[in-house]
Each structure stands twice: as structure tokens, then as C-alpha cells.
Amino acid sequence: MVKKSVIIGLSVAATVVVLTGVGVLTWWLVTRDNEVEAEPDVDTTTTTTTTTTTTTTTTTEATPEPDFIVDQLEGDGGFGDAQYTAAFTKIRDVGNIFWWFYPTTAAGVGTEKPLILWLDGVTGIPPSLLANLGMIGPYDINSNKRENSWVDRYNLLFIDAPLGTGFSIPLNNDQIPNNVDENAEHLAITLESFYTVHEAYRNAPLYILGQAHGAQLALALAIKLHQSEAASNLRGVVLGNGIISPALAMTKLGFYLEELGYIDGNGRAAIESLSQETTAAVNLGNLGNAFDNFISLGQFVNDNAGAIAVNLGHIVEKLTRQSSVTDYFGQRQYLRSVLKNIDFDIMDNVVGPALGIPATVKYDSGREYVIDAFRSTFMTPATDKVEYILQNTELTVSIYNGNLDAVSNTPGQLEWVDNLQWPGQAEFKAGPRRTLVVNRLVEGYFRNSTRLQFYWVNAAGQSAPLDNPAAMSIMLPRILRV
Ligand SMILES: *[C@@H]1O[C@H](CO)[C@@H](O)[C@H](O)[C@H]1NC(C)=O
């Protein structure tokens, strides 16, 4: 295994550090303190302007250690024939974040095509596995070429986050973030490190797509990039079956399941009582207790509400009484059934070695710690983040929801989407609901305005690109404005 190390010079940051006298703080702490809280930072600007002439000579003497190093991986033979970069961004004192980039194979100038940054969250399956190999990347999990990969039209960047998930490993468990904003710091550094390796892609229109809880990661990163004026090419966020306001979506779960016939009125009453308890806990700030309720929903619906064996992430999947839906919202169970009993160890046994990942890295081994770390913040609604973006930026917000996902159930999603506070809301709501048709088949519906779009995706659960690629193929050009 050969490794190339790219040491990143930070002369600009060094200048800021010297000029402002901040001392030994690392540049990303400086960035957080100076730019996020108050922008523009008047003090910094003033100091810089007034002291430039007197301190310029000292600037070059600062020799800060690099704050991140990019380790580009070169394994034995690689994974598939597609061109890619797989790498660890090693953040000093924090941990190693894994990313996997594929330049588009579309004709024309690749760096002018959209770059889709894919995230999944605390309760999901890492992008390197589910999104890349399972759904949209150029190769499937058995190293077979995928027909209609998204790479045919767009550049793809999969990042395993938070630290502790996928191939991303924290220095120690204390470095696992416990909220999406802290995680956004790590993602912003990772994105910057990606651009230092692939400088030309700074020009590619950037869209951050988060599935399920990844939607919260996407929103936090978009806001972070906006506030720090990084990634000026950022154009929008895409929320796929987003876990945005989980307690609110839960208020519609009993209704949703009873209408579909999976439970009766008693089951609905049981779910609604759990839902009320959860909402009350969120309102009282008992977010940990609320999360415990939320995370046990699959078990509750099956064991206490009478559904017996349904998969909340893909409600029409037929299961046996013995089916294991103990993973978070059944995504692993569903992927196993769709990908013909795939063995998840393939990430450690085949993909890792092919990429050149050290054998000491065990795939997704920190998941339980990550769940634990986020326990007291996970249930915080992120609707204010959506509103912040709509109110304070020019970014587009595109939301799609597979109709067969009970966790992020569509009626529950519309509860917050229909109540967003921003100047364009009236225009959005006044628009007609239109039909998504592909090859004469109705694949879903949408409502759109200049900044906000909502898609109902038919015959799809939590992973809409897996279940309904046809709908995605017609939605993507609309979302990415190409
Ligand atoms: C919404 O979608 C329709 C149908 O494609 C299109 O004609 C219209 O221009 C879109 N509206 C906005 C504001 O983008």
C-alpha cells in the first residue's frame, strides 16, 4: 500500500493569527470564532488594516503545524475501473474523515457540471456503502458496473460522517461530535481539503444532499459554509426523506399506519400516546428521553401497536415474524433484501483492502458511540435551519420524500414544510401540485417555487434513489438546474 501525503500550507491563516494576536489557536478555531459568530468581524478587519505595515515582516516567521493532511489512498488494484479519489482527511487532534470522489464521465467540461456531496446521518448507512455502492455510484457492491449511475451526469463526493461511522474514525471516542454543528466543522474542513486536492472543482456548482438524518448534517454544513463565506459555488441543499422535525413527523405515524391497514385503532392510540410523550419530552428539553422513544419506534410499532413485522423505512416490504428489523428503522434489513443477502462485512473484507484502507480501520465500528453522542441533540428540530437558509441565503432547498417511509412519513413532513416562515412561502403554497411522469408512468408529484421544491416520490421508501431511479432521473435536472 502506497500513500501520498499532501501537506497543506496555511500562510493566510498564519497571517490572520499573527495579525490578530490569537496565538496558538488552530486556524479552524479562528475561523469559527471570528467569522461565524459575527461577520464581518470588525475587530479583525481593523487590526489587519492598521497593523499590516508594521507586522508584515513577522508574518513569514510563523511556522504553524498543518491542521489537516490529506492521505490519498492507493490500494491493490482499486475498486472498479472508474476514475476516483479515495482519501482520508486527517484533522489534527480530531480524527480521519473518509471521502470518495468520482469525476463525472459526462461529455464536456467536468468541472462545470454539478458536484453532489452526499451525506447520511447518525441513524443511517454510510454514504460509501448505501449511496455509492448501493444506489448511485458507478459500481455496485459486487464490483459490477451500474447502469445509469449518477456519475454519468454529475460529479459525486461521498463523505462518511460523523466521525465513527463508515470508514471515518475519531482519534478517540471523545472526538465524536455530539451535534450537527460540530460535525459541520469537520465536514467544512474535509470539503476544503477536497478542493485542495481537486482545485478545479471549486468552480463546480455544489449541492449538498443529505438522506434521512443526513439532511440535518447537510443543513448545518450549508449554513456553516455560507457564514464563513467558504464554497462560494454552493447552490443548494437537497433533503431526501429528511429527519428534520422527528417528533412532529411522529405525530402522523399512527394515522399513516392505520390508513395503510398495518395497525388498528388501538395500535394508533398506543402510537399517539408515545408520540405525545415524545413531543412533551422535546418541549421540556428532555431530548435524550425523546430520542430513546424515537429510536425504538420500529420495535414499538411491531411489538406494542400490533404491526408484528413491518419495516418502517420501507413500509410495504413483506417480512417474516422472525425478520430482524432491530437496526435503526430497518435500512440494513431492507438493503439486505434488495441486494440479495449482501454481507456487510464486504466493506472490511473487499472494499477496504481494494481502496488501501488500513486493516485496523473497522467499518462503521463507532456507530453505537455516535448514536450515544447525539442522544441529547438528535431530536432538536432543524426547521429553523431550513428557514435560515431560505431567509438569509440565495440557496435553493429541494425536498423529496419517498411515500413508503413511515419514519419521515409524508404527512408528517408536510406539517413543517407547509408552515415554513420565509418571504416566498405564499408563492410556494399557491403553486399547483404537478405530476412527475416518466415514460408515461406517474412516478410522483411536485410543487415548486424559485427557491423551494417539494417532491412526493411514489413507490419509494427512505432510500428513494434505490426504489425509484426513474423519478430521481427526472427530478435531478430540475433540482440541479441543468
Ligand atoms: C415549476 O415547474 C414548472 C413545470 O416544470 C415550470 O414551468 C415552472 O417554471 C417552475 N416554476 C419555478 C418558479 O421554477
Side-chain angles (χ1 to χ4, degrees):
M1 189 185 72
V2 191
K3 279 187 185 176
K4 279 188 285 183
S5 289
V6 182
I7 312 287
I8 310 303
L10 290 162
S11 55
V12 177
T15 309
V16 174
V17 170
V18 171
L19 292 181
T20 57
V22 175
V24 295
L25 282 180
T26 54
W27 73 270
W28 55 276
L29 280 174
V30 172
T31 305
R32 179 173 60 188
D33 291 340
N34 286 353
E35 295 182 9
V36 177
E37 301 301 334
E39 55 156 336
D41 189 314
V42 180
D43 289 349
T44 309
T45 316
T46 317
T47 314
T48 308
T49 326
T50 53
T51 58
T52 301
T53 46
T54 52
T55 56
T56 306
T57 47
T58 63
T59 312
T60 48
E61 289 164 19
T63 50
E65 291 173 49
D67 295 277
F68 62 81
I69 292 171
V70 180
D71 249 14
Q72 284 181 249
L73 298 163
E74 288 178 18
D76 30 310
F79 192 80
D81 284 333
Q83 212 190 321
Y84 68 77
T85 304
F88 283 113
T89 293
K90 302 188 161 182
I91 307 176
R92 181 149 57 92
D93 297 336
V94 172
N96 304 343
I97 298 206
F98 174 76
W99 54 268
W100 200 344
F101 167 70
Y102 295 90
T104 183
T105 55
V109 184
T111 52
E112 288 172 3
K113 312 280 183 202
L115 169 64
I116 298 176
L117 191 178
W118 190 291
L119 299 167
D120 211 309
V122 168
T123 49
I125 301 177
S128 55
L129 171 53
L130 174 59
N132 181 15
L133 303 177
M135 303 204 291
I136 64 165
Y139 282 86
D140 70 16
I141 199 152
N142 299 312
S143 322
N144 296 320
K145 209 156 170 40
R146 171 173 284 113
E147 298 294 318
N148 301 316
S149 162
W150 290 18
V151 84
D152 300 346
R153 294 157 87 177
Y154 315 114
N155 302 294
L156 303 177
L157 174 60
F158 302 96
I159 303 183
D160 286 352
L163 280 168
T165 66
F167 284 125
S168 295
I169 40 165
L171 211 59
N172 56 58
N173 288 339
D174 293 343
Q175 298 301 332
I176 294 174
N178 53 35
N179 61 68
V180 290
D181 299 311
E182 218 178 295
N183 181 65
E185 305 261 350
H186 300 168
L187 287 174
I189 293 170
T190 306
L191 181 62
E192 178 55 29
S193 77
F194 160 77
Y195 285 136
T196 60
V197 175
H198 290 292
E199 201 58 48
Y201 289 87
R202 282 188 199 273
N203 300 323
L206 173 66
Y207 288 84
I208 307 174
L209 190 160
Q211 173 166 316
H213 183 251
Q216 293 221 17
L217 275 52
L219 290 166
L221 175 59
I223 291 174
K224 164 109 192 108
L225 294 175
H226 171 74
Q227 291 181 337
S228 59
E229 289 169 25
S232 54
N233 50 333
L234 176 59
R235 300 290 164 78
V237 288
V238 189
L239 315 177
N241 284 67
I243 295 180
I244 299 294
S245 189
L248 186 62
M250 208 171 150
T251 64
K252 295 289 172 186
L253 179 62
F255 158 78
Y256 178 87
L257 292 172
E258 187 185 16
E259 295 294 303
L260 285 169
Y262 288 112
I263 57 172
D264 63 10
N266 295 331
R268 175 173 174 172
I271 291 173
E272 286 181 346
S273 133
L274 184 76
S275 164
Q276 277 157 19
E277 191 188 292
T278 308
T279 299
V282 171
N283 292 341
L284 287 170
N286 296 331
L287 294 167
N289 295 342
F291 180 67
D292 296 342
N293 284 354
F294 184 73
I295 204 80
S296 67
L297 267 185
Q299 203 181 355
F300 187 90
V301 164
N302 286 322
D303 298 350
N304 302 46
I308 309 302
V310 297
N311 186 336
L312 292 186
H314 190 90
I315 201 71
V316 298
E317 184 188 6
K318 291 180 191 168
L319 300 173
T320 67
R321 283 173 182 274
Q322 289 74 32
S323 295
S324 140
V325 279
T326 49
D327 65 294
Y328 313 109
F329 312 128
Q331 285 299 284
R332 278 173 178 258
Q333 151 68 32
Y334 183 59
L335 204 59
R336 237 178 249 123
S337 78
V338 174
L339 301 181
K340 307 287 173 274
N341 293 316
I342 182 68
D343 179 358
F344 285 93
D345 291 342
I346 200 164
M347 296 308 285
D348 280 330
N349 298 339
V350 179
V351 180
L355 292 178
I357 287 173
T360 47
V361 176
K362 292 292 171 225
Y363 196 72
D364 218 31
S365 56
R367 178 71 60 180
E368 294 301 323
Y369 297 105
V370 176
I371 294 271
D372 205 46
F374 273 76
R375 182 173 172 268
S376 335
T377 61
F378 186 100
M379 295 298 280
T380 312
T383 38
D384 59 338
K385 287 191 162 69
V386 180
E387 287 171 341
Y388 179 93
I389 289 173
L390 290 170
Q391 288 166 5
N392 301 294
T393 77
E394 305 279 296
L395 307 176
T396 59
V397 175
S398 308
I399 305 165
Y400 64 80
N401 217 65
N403 286 342
L404 302 178
D405 179 5
V407 181
S408 297
N409 61 81
T410 306
Q413 297 288 51
L414 291 169
E415 287 287 296
W416 63 264
V417 173
D418 284 342
N419 290 302
L420 287 170
Q421 306 286 316
W422 66 291
Q425 183 72 357
E427 181 206 339
F428 170 72
K429 286 185 77 172
R433 187 168 99 132
R434 302 170 199 263
T435 313
L436 272 183
V437 178
V438 185
N439 294 330
R440 295 172 50 222
L441 291 176
V442 175
E443 302 287 0
Y445 315 89
F446 68 98
R447 172 164 288 132
N448 64 330
S449 69
T450 328
R451 302 274 313 285
L452 180 63
Q453 309 182 10
F454 186 93
Y455 294 87
W456 291 254
V457 185
N458 290 351
Q462 192 184 98
S463 299
L466 181 63
D467 298 325
N468 197 336
M472 294 306 300
S473 73
I474 195 170
M475 283 156 53
L476 278 175
R478 303 186 60 91
I479 291 173
L480 309 174
R481 319 220 162 194
V482 285

